[in-house]
Amino acid sequence: MIVGANGTGKSSIVCAICLGLAGKTSFIGRGDKVGLYVKRGYNKGYIELELYRRPQNLIVSREISVSNQSIWQINREHATQKMVEEQIAALNIQVGNLCQFLPQEKVGEFAKMSKIELLEATEKSVGPPEMYKFHSDLKNYHEKEKELENTCKEKSAALEKMKQRNERSEQDVQRYYERQRHLDKIKMLERKRPWVEYEVARQEHEEVKRVRDQLKEELKALKEAQAPMTRKIQAVERQCREQEAKIKEKGTEIKKITQECKQKQDYLERKDKEVEEVQQRLRMKTDEEIDRQKRISNTKKMIEDLQDELNSTMNSDHVQPEIDQISSALRKVQQDKGAVDSEKIDLRREKENLEKEKKNVMADIKRLEDMMHIKEGNLRNRFKDTYNAVLWLRQNRNRFRGHIYEPIMLELNMKDSRNAKYIENHIPLNDLRAFVCVNMDDMGAFLSEVRDKQKLKVNAVCAPSTSAAGRQPTRPIQELQTYGFVSYLRELIDAPEPVMSYLCDQHKVYDVPIGTTRTKMMIEKVINETQLRQIYTGEERYTVKKSIYSNKIISSNTQLRDAKFLTVQVDAEGRRRLEDQLKEVTANLQAVEARIAEFSERQRQLERKDNELRTKKKELLEMKSRRRQLEQKISTKHDSLKQMEMDTINLEEEERKANVKMKAIYAQKAKIVSELTQLIRSCLTQNMERVGFVLENTALTYQKTRLETECKESAAEQKMKEQQYTELDEKKRRLLNMCKERMKAARQMCDLDPSKNDIPSELMTAFQSLPNTLDEIDASLNEERSRESCFTGLNSSVVDEYKKRKQEIENLSEELNRKKSELENYKLNISQVKERWLNPLKQLVEQINEKFSEYFRSMQCAGEIDLHTDNEEEYDKYGIRIRVKFRSSTQLHELTPHHQSGGERSVSTMLYLMALQELNRCPFRVVDEINQGMDPTNERRVFEMVVRTACKENTSQYFFITPKLLQNLTYSDNMTVLCVYNGPRMLPPGKWNLKAFLRRRRRVQVHN
């Protein structure tokens, strides 16, 4: 047992054991680099460990420099870290196993170990050497077994698919050979067909040649009989040309006379139009005179009506005073309207300004709400359970008597987001996501709901009953500014009063200063002169402790982590100001709208009064101006009547003028008609002469046509026969070429020598069994091709693939048999290894459970452990489950970092390690300050169990480190108690004389 006050060097022994046995700094959980473990003010540190081993002890030495370099020695000889690790592993020392080596900073991590990790650590710590190896082998075997099973399934499926494909391919192969038979027959038919075509063409050529020669003789006889008829036709054509010249001459004369007649007719039409125009002008004059008489009559009637209305209209001299009175009232209404409009314009301008201000304030509030949503999103992504609890709380606040604040990270607001790293490094993450209650009963009810019923992993804290938010720092910040300090943590944040009270009470944010680079440069002076417990510089955190025994100041520093949750800045005070401003603006806006409504009503009343006055004034003005208007209208009508009476028209004179004009036009028409009659008579004479010439020409044309018809019949017959001869001659030539081409094609088709004319006998024999006509050959070809086309998608590759796949099936069958045999061997190995691993493991777990349960019963509590798995074949899912209960009213609950308190977890961890003690096969175990957080009763019980268990025979060495002890504890003769009291006022180790101290103690007892 190693006992000593905080800061005297107990944990230095633990660090020395870990680093001296080649352990990693991460196992200790303090500094991340080995150079940080060298004592301040020194360049090197030295560790020497002596381990019991037969036949010779093992001495391991390690020299560490501040530059993170190490020099290793084994038994005073130079060595490497790998050599040290091999020696340590041979002694079954595992400084990285929490079941064997549990530093102070790792106590909490033991409870965070998963069931699987706990099983592996237990196997390594107390199991036989081969147990963990068997477990690892089983996991590897199981993975390999699954791989082999999948491989066998894949290969079996592939083999079955290949067999099915070959069965289908076998039919295709048979169809391929049948198709080849059809192709051979098609090839033979195609070979014979050119020979049959040649024979058909040859016979056709002989027939065409015979018909052509016969037609040549007939054509010669027709040419000799056609010559006399051609001469008669030529004589008649000369006579026809002479008559056509005479007809053309008469036609020209007739055309000239016809044009003159047309000119005369056009002139007559123009004269008719002149007469019509004269008559139209006369009608218009008559209509105009009738219209003038009507207008004169209407004007006289209108003058009489206006004169009667003028006589009946009264005098309007008394109307003017009333008009003046109404005009005065109108001016007064207009002045009132102007004042109202001016007021309304001012109010509308004020309303627009208020609406704009309201819109800006609402935009600012929405921006702050968006920033709050970002903070909630960060909470949801990192702590889903806490976020769900926030949603539940918002819907159920009425269930609690006092106010429950949401997680501190939501309620907290940074005044400058650049300082968020200081708060996140100072306040633990569990507190940042904790709900803050002002009532203890509310906290119990809230945790019961969200933890026990909803199974959410959340934290909750209770604010102090007396507010600590206003506590003053031990020293004003002005005194610390000479050291580079700029502010305390409390001044960096805004938070509701209970949240700030909790932070001041628990984390002393009112008394932790923030420094700068200047502070870091003079850190030694700051630590010695300010006596501050915690200090923040730009990128580091310093923790300062003072030994109560030696008054020596001990400091440590850590690098600051980057901020993750508080970087989003929401100005809570600014938001409250904006909400107050929004209420004020809304109230002002409503007041302005009410005043606008009042002025609008006043404006409508003035409008109605203005309209009434204007209507009345209009009626009086119309009454005053009516008599004057009537007099003007009567005068205007008299002037118009005089003008119309002066514009009279003499219809008799106009009619006489029109008759004179028409008489002259009729005389001109009579002359034109006489000239036109003479021209028509001359045209008739010319037409009669032309008709005689035409009749003579028609007779000649008929005679010519008859002769030409007779000649054409003969010529047509001759032309037809010439054409037939040409066609037959061309056809003969084509058939001759066709015969040559078909002979050549037939020989090429049969691969015969062009110099030989005979067909080979074997080919003739093959041709005899085939049809002899083209139709029969084509029919056979179509039939064979149709049959061949039924075998689609077949080629020689089908046969090649069939043979290749058959060989692959044989190879795959052999490989599948090998894999199945290998799988059976793996299953057999798994069965054997499982039996050798699982049975001892179950016995080991049962033994641990017996001890664990016994220890818990002795403390009037209950606890048990078991081997837990969901599937016996999933060897990587096996784990050790620890379940405990510390109150009789509750059920057994699995040990987790969330369900039990820190003291309960420490007790459970300690008792589990005690249960492993007698089974332990490691040389020693180290447990550092595990009794922290235990209540005195549990601490006493646990200490007695440790003494009782660790002091038995045949158990491993046990290091128990503690800073405090209860009074009247039970000790054993097998215990060694080491008191660590390093400090500036203590004797150096070389001057420590135990015998002198004992003598002095005896003298003191004698005197007493």
Side-chain angles (χ1 to χ4, degrees), residues 848 851-852 855 910-919:
I848 298 172
K851 292 291 184 182
F852 189 72
Y855 294 152
M910 197 67 191
L911 295 185
Y912 184 79
L913 296 177
M914 287 298 97
L916 300 181
Q917 180 65 20
E918 295 184 19
L919 305 172

Side-chain angles (χ1 to χ4, degrees), residues 175-187:
R175 292 172 65 236
Y176 173 78
Y177 287 129
E178 185 175 352
R179 175 173 174 268
Q180 286 299 116
R181 289 194 292 273
H182 290 298
L183 289 174
D184 291 342
K185 187 172 182 180
I186 290 171
K187 184 177 181 181

Side-chain angles (χ1 to χ4, degrees), residues 37-290:
Y37 291 87
V38 178
K39 189 174 181 179
R40 188 184 300 275
Y42 291 84
N43 295 325
K44 293 181 180 180
Y46 186 77
I47 301 169
E48 180 175 294
L49 299 175
E50 185 172 359
L51 304 174
Y52 173 78
R53 184 181 66 176
R54 292 180 181 176
Q56 181 184 359
N57 289 353
L58 179 67
I59 300 174
V60 178
S61 303
R62 182 178 187 177
E63 184 180 289
I64 304 171
S65 65
V66 292
S67 60
N68 301 315
Q69 302 296 322
S70 296
I71 300 175
W72 295 89
Q73 287 185 347
I74 297 178
N75 292 333
R76 314 300 181 188
E77 295 181 0
H78 181 73
T80 62
Q81 183 172 340
K82 186 176 181 182
M83 294 168 61
V84 174
E85 290 173 351
E86 291 173 353
Q87 293 285 348
I88 300 306
L91 295 175
N92 197 33
I93 297 174
Q94 305 165 18
V95 291
N97 189 340
L98 296 182
C99 289
Q100 185 177 136
F101 195 90
L102 191 60
Q104 177 183 349
E105 285 75 8
K106 296 290 184 176
V107 172
E109 291 188 14
F110 186 89
K112 296 180 184 179
M113 290 175 66
S114 66
K115 295 186 284 291
I116 298 170
E117 293 172 340
L118 185 59
L119 173 61
E120 292 180 354
T122 303
E123 285 178 333
K124 294 176 182 178
S125 178
V126 300
E130 67 277 1
M131 179 176 286
Y132 180 70
K133 180 180 179 301
F134 286 157
H135 191 185
S136 300
D137 292 343
L138 279 173
K139 289 190 283 188
N140 295 331
Y141 287 160
H142 184 60
E143 290 296 324
K144 187 64 176 178
E145 179 189 15
K146 289 194 290 188
E147 291 177 7
L148 287 173
E149 286 177 348
N150 293 334
T151 302
C152 290
K153 288 179 183 178
E154 292 172 0
K155 292 190 179 298
S156 297
L159 180 62
E160 185 62 27
K161 190 180 293 185
M162 291 173 70
K163 287 181 178 179
Q164 292 175 359
R165 289 180 63 186
N166 246 25
E167 288 176 1
R168 293 194 297 269
S169 299
E170 190 171 358
Q171 298 176 359
D172 292 341
V173 170
Q174 293 176 357
R175 292 172 65 236
Y176 173 78
Y177 287 129
E178 185 175 352
R179 175 173 174 268
Q180 286 299 116
R181 289 194 292 273
H182 290 298
L183 289 174
D184 291 342
K185 187 172 182 180
I186 290 171
K187 184 177 181 181
M188 192 56 66
L189 285 168
E190 289 175 346
R191 282 187 171 188
K192 183 173 181 180
R193 193 178 190 285
W195 290 104
V196 174
E197 288 176 343
Y198 164 73
E199 183 61 25
V200 171
R202 188 188 65 78
Q203 293 175 3
E204 188 177 359
H205 174 265
E206 293 297 329
E207 178 64 20
V208 168
K209 182 179 179 184
R210 182 186 65 75
V211 174
R212 187 202 66 169
D213 293 343
Q214 181 180 353
L215 191 62
K216 186 176 181 182
E217 295 298 327
E218 294 176 359
L219 187 60
K220 185 178 179 182
L222 281 174
K223 286 182 178 180
E224 292 175 354
Q226 197 177 9
M229 193 177 298
T230 303
R231 287 192 292 273
K232 290 181 180 180
I233 291 172
Q234 292 174 351
V236 172
E237 284 179 348
R238 283 196 299 273
Q239 294 177 4
C240 286
R241 284 195 294 273
E242 292 175 358
Q243 292 297 323
E244 287 174 356
K246 293 178 180 179
I247 291 169
K248 186 176 181 182
E249 184 180 354
K250 290 297 179 183
T252 303
E253 294 177 359
I254 292 169
K255 185 176 180 181
K256 183 177 179 182
I257 294 171
T258 302
Q259 288 177 349
E260 291 179 358
C261 288
K262 189 174 184 306
Q263 291 175 356
K264 296 298 181 181
Q265 289 175 348
D266 293 341
Y267 194 58
L268 282 174
E269 290 177 358
R270 286 197 297 272
K271 292 302 177 181
D272 290 338
K273 288 182 179 180
E274 288 178 3
V275 172
E276 186 176 350
E277 288 175 358
V278 172
Q279 292 174 346
Q280 178 67 24
R281 282 196 294 271
L282 180 60
R283 284 194 300 271
M284 289 176 63
K285 291 290 184 180
T286 304
D287 294 340
E288 185 177 349
E289 178 62 18
I290 294 170

Side-chain angles (χ1 to χ4, degrees), residues 371-408:
M371 300 300 290
M372 194 65 186
H373 291 161
I374 294 173
K375 294 179 71 173
E376 292 176 0
N378 292 336
L379 178 66
R380 181 179 62 249
N381 295 334
R382 183 64 177 86
F383 305 108
K384 182 69 173 180
D385 286 358
T386 305
Y387 179 74
N388 291 335
V390 169
L391 298 180
W392 180 88
L393 176 63
R394 289 175 180 174
Q395 297 174 356
N396 298 275
R397 288 191 181 275
N398 57 346
R399 296 175 56 176
F400 304 101
R401 290 185 295 175
H403 188 77
I404 296 181
Y405 290 90
E406 293 180 1
I408 292 176

Side-chain angles (χ1 to χ4, degrees), residues 738-762:
M738 186 186 296
C739 289
K740 292 179 181 179
E741 290 174 358
R742 290 185 176 178
M743 172 64 77
K744 182 178 179 182
R747 289 185 173 277
Q748 288 178 350
M749 181 65 74
C750 297
D751 297 328
L752 298 179
D753 189 354
S755 61
K756 296 181 180 180
N757 295 326
D758 297 334
I759 301 175
S761 57
E762 63 273 10

